[in-house]
Amino acid sequence: MIYKSKDGDIDLSKITRLYPAAVIDMYGEIAEMSLEWMDDNGDKVKLVHYVLVFDFTPIHEQVKQRQTLVYETREELILAMTEVAEFFQK
């Protein structure tokens, strides 16, 4: 299952985790937070952008193997999530 993203091909058969996140700037510290956290705390932090994280790290491994796609709006992120979900329904 190959997903053709704006940044290149991603082999969905190798992912161990797939998740969306909001990247925030909180007093100069950049961090990924859940969308739920952003909904509850968005008025207290600066949103940098949204990401969809494709994690290929084998379970119990320490070295992270990830590919991240960046989106400026939540709507773009949701659209990408919908496209990826369609691959798993085939």
Side-chain angles (χ1 to χ4, degrees), residues 9-73:
D9 294 351
I10 300 172
D11 187 351
L12 298 179
S13 68
K14 296 183 180 193
I15 62 172
T16 54
R17 291 188 324 146
L18 173 65
Y19 60 91
V23 177
I24 57 133
D25 181 337
M26 185 178 225
Y27 309 113
E29 296 291 324
I30 305 296
E32 284 182 5
M33 302 305 251
S34 72
L35 298 182
E36 294 82 9
W37 186 95
M38 188 64 188
D39 289 342
D40 294 341
N41 299 285
D43 58 334
K44 301 172 190 155
V45 297
K46 178 185 175 200
L47 173 68
V48 177
H49 54 252
Y50 292 96
V51 293
L52 185 56
V53 180
F54 298 81
D55 191 342
F56 304 100
T57 307
I59 297 175
H60 306 298
E61 290 289 324
Q62 297 296 325
V63 178
K64 300 289 184 200
Q65 300 172 24
R66 303 176 358 160
Q67 185 169 352
T68 304
L69 301 180
V70 176
Y71 302 95
E72 294 305 314
T73 67

